[in-house]
């Protein structure tokens, strides 16, 4: 496998120079031969930034480890290797009436990656994060020992590994509790809203009445139209299908365009057409699960559309009390900077707390924006979005980040030193080196004795 293929989905960071197989890494760790900062697990490359990269060391390609070891069709409990894709979990469990309780915007993530990034979905208000449904995991540390971690056993490592960005060791297996559903299909309703004030008035009621709720924002609309969009709500259809369809689609971006094709004129036309098409859908309609949960999976390598310089994704969360001021300010900052976001998503987080030591998802509203990398102007905008978020008492998502400053990270996650204390010294990422270690170097493994 070419090491050049092991990069981040945003493609703003250099790809891996060194790659080792999972079996090579396991042998190295079991033999006590892993040096400080030498390793980092790599799933399926859907992370946008450098939490999945280790410029000073090597990446461990986990994709060959993708065996589903056990599945109880009566309870929905599944044990699988960390390299198993979410698409494989769905295919195995769906015929028996089970579905992952939490799915992100792509099914092409590994279980280990979903745990390490504590992913969230369109139903945080009902189910919390992915980590809320992890019963146990096995973790290989650089002392050569494999630990079984759960809420009752090695609990501190369990909490640190969920959302721990792969820094606590090598996740080998994950035991996951799936959610019983009547079918895979979704009954979806699209409700247009004129502005953000109307969205905020609708959001809580939509959460209360539906399993899933998420809003699309026309980010380029200004003036009286600023903040307009569509609120999508959905529930599993009572009598839909249970057969998982083949993941992905026939469409692809086969070559890298020399320029960003998702430019401002295209985005304005796309947003207008999308709003008209989806907004006039009327009452509830039945949709396939792939289109509802994973629409972009239908176009392979769609990230190439952003041009050869790649894209940055900025995801923030702000407290509910500050959202009516902070969210419009974030959108206005992007408009003033002349930057268009192809994917602009706004949703409400509920009060269910993740077991993660450093959870990103917390009560409030989360806004996701994607920007083509235009160099210094884009970085300046992202810095301004950070400033607005932190000033509102919120946090910037490290799992999506490729350039956040150390101060922003510390303000977003004031308990970061607790993860540093539990970090396996053999594991490091580009993100952690430029944020946490730039703040205050702290010897990893100091909390090992507590386990």
């Amino acid at each position: 496998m070419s090491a050049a293929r092991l990069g981040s989905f945003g493609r703003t960071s250099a790809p891996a120079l060194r790659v080792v197989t999972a079996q090579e890494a396991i042998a190295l760790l079991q033999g006590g031969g892993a040096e400080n900062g030498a390793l980092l697990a790599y799933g399926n490359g859907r992370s946008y930034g450098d939490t999945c990269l280790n410029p000073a060391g090597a990446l461990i390609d986990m994709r060959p480890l993708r065996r589903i070891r056990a599945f109880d069709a009566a309870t929905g409990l599944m044990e699988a290797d960390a390299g198993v894709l979410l698409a494989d979990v769905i295919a195995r469990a769906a015929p028996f009436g089970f579905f992952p309780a939490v799915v992100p915007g792509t099914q092409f993530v590994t279980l280990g990656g979903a745990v390490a990034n504590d992913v969230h979905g369109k139903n945080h208000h009902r189910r919390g994060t992915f980590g809320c449904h992890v019963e146990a995991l096995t973790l290989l540390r650089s002392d050569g020992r494999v630990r079984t971690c759960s809420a009752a056993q090695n609990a501190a490592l369990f909490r640190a590994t969920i959302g721990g960005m792969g820094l606590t060791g090598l996740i080998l297996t994950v035991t996951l509790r799936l959610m019983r559903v009547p079918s895979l299909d979704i009954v979806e309703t699209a409700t247009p809203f004129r502005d953000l004030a109307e969205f905020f008035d609708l959001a809580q009621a939509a959460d209360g009445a539906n399993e899933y709720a998420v809003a699309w924002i026309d980010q380029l609309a200004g003036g009286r139209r600023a903040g307009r969009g569509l609120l999508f709500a959905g529930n599993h259809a009572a009598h839909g299908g249970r057969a998982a369809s083949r993941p992905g689609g026939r469409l692809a971006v086969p070559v890298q365009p020399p320029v960003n094709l998702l430019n401002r004129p295209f985005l304005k036309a796309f947003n207008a057409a999308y709003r008209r098409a989806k907004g006039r859908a009327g009452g509830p309609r039945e949709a396939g699960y792939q289109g509802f949960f994973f629409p972009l999976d239908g176009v392979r390598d769609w990230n190439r559309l952003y041009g050869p310089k790649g894209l940055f994704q900025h995801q923030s969360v702000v407290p509910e009390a500050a959202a009516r001021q902070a969210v419009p300010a974030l959108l206005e900052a992007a408009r003033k900077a002349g930057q268009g976001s192809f994917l602009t998503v706004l949703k409400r987080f509920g009060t269910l707390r993740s077991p993660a030591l450093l959870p990103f998802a917390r009560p409030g509203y989360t806004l996701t924006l994607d920007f083509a990398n235009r160099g210094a102007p884009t970085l300046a905008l992202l810095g301004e979005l950070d400033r607005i978020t932190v000033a509102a008492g919120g946090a910037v998502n490290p799992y999506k980040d490729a350039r956040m400053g150390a101060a922003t990270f510390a303000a977003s996650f004031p308990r970061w030193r607790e993860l540093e204390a539990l970090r396996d010294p053999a594991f490091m990422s580009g993100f952690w080196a430029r944020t946490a270690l730039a703040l205050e170097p702290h010897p990893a493994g100091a909390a090992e004795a507590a386990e």
Side-chain angles (χ1 to χ4, degrees):
M1 183 172 298
S2 170
R5 293 179 62 87
L6 298 192
S8 73
F9 198 71
R11 298 180 303 117
T12 57
S13 303
L17 295 176
R18 290 187 287 163
V19 178
V20 299
T21 68
Q23 293 300 337
E24 288 171 338
I26 290 170
L28 186 65
L29 291 165
Q30 288 178 335
E35 299 176 355
N36 284 351
L39 299 170
L40 185 71
Y42 183 93
N44 200 38
R46 288 310 191 268
S47 294
Y48 283 81
D50 56 354
T51 58
C52 67
L53 301 175
N54 185 15
L59 294 183
I60 307 167
D61 187 357
M62 297 296 291
R63 289 173 293 182
L65 298 186
R66 51 184 303 177
R67 178 162 62 104
I68 294 177
R69 294 169 172 263
F71 174 60
D72 188 329
T75 65
L77 200 66
M78 178 180 290
E79 181 187 6
D81 290 346
V84 168
L85 294 178
L86 206 56
D88 299 328
V89 172
I90 294 169
R92 178 67 175 273
F96 301 96
F98 287 96
F99 191 74
V102 175
V103 295
T106 175
Q107 62 197 306
F108 298 128
V109 296
T110 63
L111 287 183
V115 171
N117 293 280
D118 195 23
V119 297
H120 56 266
K122 297 177 174 67
N123 60 346
H124 185 273
H125 57 285
R126 290 274 181 98
R127 311 293 170 181
T129 66
F130 193 86
C132 294
H133 307 277
V134 174
E135 294 285 309
L137 54 90
T138 56
L139 187 72
L140 174 59
R141 302 269 286 183
S142 59
D143 61 4
R145 293 172 55 199
V146 175
R147 291 167 175 78
T148 297
C149 302
S150 68
Q153 188 176 2
N154 294 311
L157 268 179
F158 180 67
R159 293 191 299 272
T161 302
I162 296 173
M165 297 173 275
L167 296 170
T168 60
L170 189 63
I171 301 173
L172 298 177
T173 66
V174 177
T175 301
L176 184 69
R177 186 170 297 280
L178 304 179
M179 174 175 69
R180 189 177 291 280
V181 296
S183 76
L184 290 180
D185 295 332
I186 300 294
V187 178
E188 176 191 71
T189 303
T191 304
F193 51 87
R194 295 182 301 271
D195 52 33
L196 288 173
E198 186 175 6
F199 163 76
F200 287 121
D201 290 342
L202 294 169
Q204 187 167 355
D207 283 357
N210 299 281
E211 176 70 33
Y212 305 103
V214 63
W216 167 83
I217 304 292
D218 183 356
Q219 178 259 335
L220 292 177
R224 291 182 300 173
R225 299 176 301 168
R228 71 179 182 180
L230 300 166
L231 176 59
F232 295 98
N235 297 282
H236 288 273
H239 303 291
R242 285 189 174 184
S245 53
R246 183 175 179 178
R250 296 180 179 179
L251 297 176
V253 183
V255 296
Q256 174 61 67
V259 296
N260 169 32
L261 298 183
L262 302 178
N263 51 41
R264 192 176 182 89
F266 170 85
L267 291 177
K268 290 196 74 165
F270 173 84
N271 286 354
Y274 184 82
R275 187 173 183 272
R276 284 196 302 269
K278 292 290 188 177
R280 66 167 177 249
R285 68 180 189 92
E286 195 163 306
Y289 77 97
Q290 301 243 24
F292 183 80
F293 293 110
F294 317 119
L296 290 176
D297 282 353
V299 182
R300 295 190 303 278
D301 297 316
W302 63 266
N303 54 337
R304 290 176 174 173
L305 294 172
Y306 282 88
K309 294 183 179 179
L311 73 145
F312 289 103
Q313 185 170 99
H314 189 278
Q315 184 173 28
S316 58
V317 58
V318 294
E320 195 154 344
R324 289 179 183 254
Q325 290 75 43
V327 173
L330 291 165
L331 292 171
E332 182 61 21
R335 282 194 295 271
K336 283 185 175 179
Q339 301 261 355
S341 168
F342 172 58
L343 182 67
T344 305
V345 174
L346 179 61
K347 57 189 174 186
R348 181 173 176 265
F349 282 149
T351 57
L352 290 174
R353 194 186 188 285
S354 168
L357 176 62
L358 299 184
F360 166 73
R362 57 196 77 178
Y365 286 86
T366 179
L367 177 70
T368 303
L369 299 149
D370 284 352
F371 301 108
N373 178 17
R374 292 167 48 189
T378 306
L379 292 173
L381 167 61
L382 295 169
E384 175 63 7
L385 299 179
D386 290 351
R387 186 197 64 78
I388 294 169
T389 300
V390 171
V396 179
N397 191 347
Y399 317 134
K400 307 284 186 75
D401 180 68
R403 43 84 254 163
M404 181 195 308
T408 297
F409 172 64
S412 299
F413 298 90
R415 296 179 61 187
W416 66 268
R417 289 180 181 83
E418 296 178 49
L419 177 55
E420 170 60 14
L422 286 164
R423 177 176 64 86
D424 190 299
F427 286 75
M428 181 53 63
S429 69
F431 173 86
W432 199 253
R434 68 177 170 81
T435 56
L437 295 194
L439 286 162
E440 182 183 333
H442 188 290
E448 187 75 21
E451 291 300 321

